[in-house]
Amino acid sequence: MPEPAEALPAVEIERETVSRWEDYIDVFFSPSELFARRARDRVAPPLLTLLLLAFVFYFVLLPANGMIMRASVGDNPQTIEAMNRYGTVMQVVGSIAVPMTYLVVLASGAALLWLVGRFADIRTDFSRTMLVVTYAGFVYLLAQIAGGISVILHGGVDLDIVRDMSFGVLRFVGDSDMNQALVALLRRFEIFALWQAVLWAIGIRVIYDVSGTRAGVVACVTWALLAVPGLIMGAFGLGGPPQS
């Protein structure tokens, strides 16, 4: 009588039965289960899905994007004329820039998470930190959608893109005339930025089987370091990077 085949690990069975679309729900509601299930998975499927959704929602939120652009240029007649003349071209360029921006933000976060993890004596590798940051990037997408909806609900009159797009302290104390370095610092205290940091900690804890304290320290340091580019750009009056 042949011996029974060895049972597959529970995680492997779950990987076969759980669809990809459930991953993008679990990242918000059951991140520990998600990272346990996809700990050794490829980063390409969630990354391509995130970039595609970012591209789609760019066009869905075009009315909000137009209000944001008009609010950012103020009353400069030459800039307004250029926007009216080349609006279609700017929309096409924007549709290309959005996924590129996502890639830069995600890769930067993954590189920092990998580096800080190494300093914390966790044998992090870039492909895994990129996986963690990519799944957390769906919160970044949610932040963009929420910001666009907030702009639409506010309307274009007296729109302040620093205050009215914020879901943190800047909604109460921010404005477009505020020092850009301070804006970049306070953006780290947005609800969505803090939420992403929590997901990083959960991902590191689950994938590398380390304590929640060590994973939390790695996530907190990464969260803080991501303010540095915005602080540098703000010091030179160049504005901050997109919220992450």
Side-chain angles (χ1 to χ4, degrees):
M1 180 176 179
E3 296 182 1
E6 293 185 4
L8 289 173
V11 172
E12 290 297 325
I13 295 174
E14 190 175 13
R15 281 185 60 183
E16 294 176 3
T17 58
V18 175
S19 70
R20 286 286 177 186
W21 292 111
E22 290 181 74
D23 290 348
Y24 311 134
I25 297 173
D26 285 347
V27 72
F28 298 105
F29 299 104
S30 305
S32 294
E33 295 178 12
L34 166 65
F35 288 122
R37 182 167 67 241
R38 302 299 183 187
R40 296 292 174 260
D41 207 0
R42 296 175 300 133
V43 71
L47 179 60
L48 292 175
T49 301
L50 179 60
L51 296 181
L52 177 61
L53 288 174
F55 180 81
V56 169
F57 276 104
Y58 169 80
F59 288 100
V60 172
L61 296 172
L62 272 180
N65 295 332
M67 294 180 194
I68 293 168
M69 290 181 64
R70 285 191 291 272
S72 65
V73 301
D75 298 324
N76 188 317
Q78 293 180 336
T79 307
I80 293 174
E81 182 183 354
M83 286 177 56
N84 293 332
R85 180 177 298 180
Y86 303 108
T88 303
V89 175
M90 294 173 71
Q91 289 177 4
V92 172
V93 172
S95 67
I96 298 171
V98 164
M100 296 300 295
T101 300
Y102 268 72
L103 279 175
V104 170
V105 170
L106 294 174
S108 300
L112 276 176
L113 199 61
W114 167 79
L115 184 61
V116 175
R118 287 283 173 159
F119 272 104
D121 200 26
I122 301 174
R123 296 185 63 82
T124 49
D125 59 274
F126 182 78
S127 66
R128 297 305 88 197
T129 58
M130 187 66 181
L131 182 75
V132 170
V133 170
T134 296
Y135 276 117
F138 285 89
V139 173
Y140 179 55
L141 175 64
L142 182 61
Q144 304 298 303
I145 295 170
I149 293 173
S150 178
V151 167
I152 292 172
L153 292 176
H154 182 282
V157 180
D158 297 326
L159 176 67
D160 188 300
I161 58 176
V162 171
R163 181 182 62 251
D164 296 320
M165 293 183 65
S166 172
F167 292 89
V169 294
L170 285 171
R171 181 166 287 270
F172 306 100
V173 302
D175 61 65
S176 297
D177 296 325
M178 179 180 284
N179 180 276
Q180 290 300 308
L182 181 58
V183 170
L185 178 61
L186 292 179
R187 275 181 176 156
R188 302 312 302 152
F189 294 92
E190 294 286 317
I191 291 173
F192 296 104
L194 295 170
W195 190 353
Q196 282 185 286
V198 171
L199 291 178
W200 299 340
I202 293 172
I204 294 296
R205 177 183 63 79
V206 171
I207 291 176
Y208 292 101
D209 193 22
V210 297
S211 69
T213 300
R214 289 178 69 191
V217 169
V218 170
C220 285
V221 173
T222 303
W223 167 85
L225 289 176
L226 282 171
V228 173
L231 291 172
I232 294 173
M233 294 174 69
F236 289 96
L238 300 176
Q243 178 186 332
S244 62

